[in-house]
Amino acid sequence: MTEVAGICSDLLRINTTNDGTPGGPGERPAAEYVAELLAGAGVEAEIFESAPRRTSVVARIPGDDPRGLLIHGHLDVVPADPGEWRTHPFSGEVEDGCVHGRGAVDMKGTLSMTLALVGKWAREGRRPRRDVVLAFLADEEATGEYGAGYAVTRRPELFEGCTEAISESGGFSVTVPRGAPGGLDGASPDGGPLRVYPVAVGERGTAWMKVTAHGVAGHGSKPPVDNPVAELCRALARIADHRWPVRLTPAVATLIADLGKALGTTIDLDRLDAEAERLGRAGTLFKGVIRNSANPTMLNAGYKVNVIPGTAEAQVDGRFLPGFRDEFLATIDELLGPKITREFVSFDDDVASPTEGLFDDLCAALLAEDPAGRPVPYVMTGGTDAKSFARLGIRGYGFAPLLLDPSLDYFGMFHGVDERVPVAGLEFGVRVLDRLLTAP
C-alpha cells in the first residue's frame, strides 16, 4: 500500500460522523492522528477545540515567500448506514484499486494527499515556495460553527499573511470518450479521451431557513379554523414546484464557453437544461449553477393525531447565485405567503475568486502532470469553508486534484453509498500539489 493510500485508510477508519448536532463522536481522534503525522514530519501543529471533541488542527510550514497559501479541509463526514454499503463505511478497505469508506472523496482523501506530501518534503529536505498554512477543521458538514467559523472568529492570527486558499471540490478529471453521445468529439490533443479538469472559482450563497406556519390549535375531529400544517404543506409545495429562471453569471458563462471549445461543440445558451443533458457528465459542471434553488428538507408539526397544532415548522435548503441574493429572498417570501415566517438557520454569501494569478498556477500544475488535460473554471452548487475564510479576505479555490477512472461518478460519491477514491488518483494528486507548492 502506498503512503497516501495508507493515510487515507487510517483516516477513514476513524469515525468522525457529523449528524448536525453538537453530539456525536467528534473530530478529536482524527485531529490527534493528523497532529502526530505532522510532528513526525517536523511540523509543529496546534490542536484546539470549540466544544468538547469538536477539534481542529492548524500548522504553518515556512516557505521562501511569506505570503501565505492556506490549504484547508474538514475532518468530519456525513452519516453512513453500514447496511447499505458493500464494505463497511469505516473500514478504510483497499480493494479494486480504491480506498473505500465514508469521506474517501469528501474529503479525507484530499487530507491524505496533503499529509503525504508534507511527509515527502520532510524526507527529501524540501520546503514550499511560499508559506503554507494547513487547517484540518471540524464541522464543515453542518454549519461550520465549530470549525472554520470558530477558527476565523477566535483564532484569526493563525491565518496571518494568507491571501489565497485551496480546498475541496475542484481539480478532478471528467472524461469524455471519443464518439460520446450528443455529437461530442471527446478527443484530447494526444488523440485519447478528453479529460476536463474543473477548477472551482466560486460558490453559490447558502440560505438554510426554518419556516414556520402559525394557526389555531383545535380538536382534530372538528372543521379547522386555520390549520398551520395544511398552510405549511401548501407553501412547501409551491417552493418545490417553483421553476427558477436561468441566470447566467460571468463565471458560469466562461465555464460554458471553455467547455464548448474543449468538447468541440457549440453550447446553445437558450436551452441550457437540454444542453446539460446532451453533454452528460460534462454538463453536470454547469447544470446546478445556472439558477437559484430551494428544496424543503425537514418537517416538524403536531404531537397527537387528534390535535390540530398551533404551529408547524419546516427547513429549506436555499442556494443563490452571485448577485441574485435579493431576488432569491424576495421570491422565497412570495412563495411562502403572508402566513408563514422565515428565519435563517445558517446564511453565507456567495464567494468568487479571479480566473488569473493563482488560478493560472493551479491549471499549470494540472497540465504538468496531464499535458492533454483541459482545465476550466467552475462554480460549485454547494458550499465549503471557503465562505468563512472569505471573511478574512482570503480568496478561495476548489482544488483537490484527482485523476479518476472514467467509470467513477465523482459527484455521486459525495454523501453517496460505497464512496471510494482510486489509489492512483490520490498519487496523482500528491504530484500535482507538489508541483503547485514548490514550482519556482
Side-chain angles (χ1 to χ4, degrees):
M1 186 186 303
T2 64
E3 181 181 22
V4 66
I7 294 172
C8 184
S9 180
D10 288 345
L11 283 171
L12 294 176
R13 286 197 293 269
I14 304 172
N15 185 348
T16 53
T17 296
N18 183 353
D19 64 0
T21 69
E27 298 85 3
R28 183 83 197 187
E32 291 174 344
Y33 173 81
V34 166
E36 183 179 350
L37 284 182
L38 291 174
V43 177
E44 183 179 355
E46 181 172 349
I47 297 179
F48 57 90
E49 290 190 337
S50 55
R53 298 183 66 80
R54 306 313 305 271
T55 316
S56 298
V57 183
V58 176
R60 182 182 290 263
I61 303 175
D64 299 321
D65 186 339
R67 292 177 306 148
L69 175 68
L70 170 63
I71 302 177
H72 62 92
H74 58 89
L75 295 164
D76 61 324
V77 300
V78 296
D81 180 356
E84 297 178 341
W85 287 55
R86 184 166 57 87
T87 62
H88 195 283
F90 300 108
S91 69
E93 183 173 336
V94 180
E95 181 182 289
D96 300 328
C98 291
V99 190
H100 295 248
R102 172 58 84 219
V105 166
D106 187 16
M107 64 171 295
K108 289 180 176 178
T110 304
L111 304 185
S112 69
M113 292 190 297
T114 303
L115 291 166
L117 178 57
V118 173
K120 177 180 172 66
W121 286 344
R123 291 190 301 272
E124 297 176 358
R126 296 191 291 128
R127 67 176 186 170
R129 174 170 45 90
R130 58 193 285 191
D131 279 14
V132 170
V133 176
L134 307 175
F136 303 83
L137 302 159
D139 198 37
E140 191 273 348
E141 294 293 2
T143 63
E145 175 186 356
Y146 295 102
Y150 178 90
V152 164
T153 303
R154 303 287 291 274
R155 302 300 309 276
E157 74 280 1
L158 294 173
F159 312 103
E160 184 177 352
C162 290
T163 56
E164 296 159 317
I166 60 173
S167 189
E168 60 183 313
S169 299
F172 54 93
S173 64
V174 177
T175 301
V176 181
R178 300 216 62 170
L184 305 182
D185 183 350
S188 69
D190 64 2
L194 175 66
R195 286 179 297 277
V196 174
Y197 288 90
V199 176
V201 298
E203 303 176 6
R204 292 193 301 173
T206 300
W208 291 352
M209 298 167 282
K210 182 175 80 171
V211 296
T212 305
H214 303 271
V216 178
H219 199 288
S221 68
K222 296 181 179 180
V225 176
D226 189 3
N227 187 330
V229 177
E231 188 68 36
L232 182 64
C233 288
R234 286 190 286 268
L236 294 180
R238 289 193 295 270
I239 288 175
D241 294 341
H242 181 67
R243 184 66 169 169
W244 294 86
V246 171
R247 297 286 187 256
L248 197 58
T249 60
V252 177
T254 301
L255 162 64
I256 291 172
D258 286 358
L259 272 180
K261 294 175 184 176
L263 298 172
T265 188
T266 299
I267 300 176
D268 188 344
L269 299 181
D270 293 326
R271 50 191 303 274
L272 285 176
D273 291 308
E275 290 288 68
E277 294 300 319
R278 178 174 73 89
L279 298 178
R281 285 188 181 173
T284 62
L285 298 179
F286 64 81
K287 183 177 181 180
V289 289
I290 55 175
R291 50 170 58 89
N292 299 327
S293 67
N295 286 303
T297 54
M298 298 176 67
L299 284 169
N300 182 30
Y303 53 88
K304 199 170 185 293
V305 69
N306 62 344
V307 178
I308 298 173
T311 61
E313 297 177 351
Q315 293 198 22
V316 177
D317 182 339
R319 312 283 175 145
F320 55 90
L321 294 166
F324 292 94
R325 176 185 60 186
D326 293 344
E327 178 186 84
F328 169 80
L329 293 175
T331 302
I332 287 292
D333 289 339
E334 182 180 349
L335 294 170
L336 288 174
K339 293 185 178 181
I340 296 180
T341 60
R342 64 168 169 83
E343 58 185 289
F344 293 122
V345 175
S346 180
F347 181 89
D348 282 297
D349 251 325
D350 55 90
V351 294
S353 297
T355 53
E356 57 189 15
L358 179 61
F359 176 81
D360 294 330
D361 295 339
L362 301 175
C363 296
L366 283 168
L367 289 171
E369 284 298 321
D370 186 359
R374 295 292 295 268
V376 296
Y378 165 63
V379 176
M380 298 183 211
T381 58
T384 73
D385 284 332
K387 290 184 171 68
S388 292
F389 290 110
R391 298 201 291 269
L392 296 179
I394 299 174
R395 298 185 297 274
Y397 294 86
F399 191 73
L402 278 174
L403 179 59
L404 297 170
D405 186 288
S407 65
L408 279 179
D409 179 5
Y410 178 80
F411 290 110
M413 293 292 102
F414 278 82
H415 302 185
V417 173
D418 294 332
E419 186 179 351
R420 59 200 182 278
V421 63
V423 173
L426 294 174
E427 294 168 345
F428 171 85
V430 174
R431 295 194 301 271
V432 172
L433 290 176
D434 196 7
R435 289 183 180 275
L436 171 69
L437 300 172
T438 61

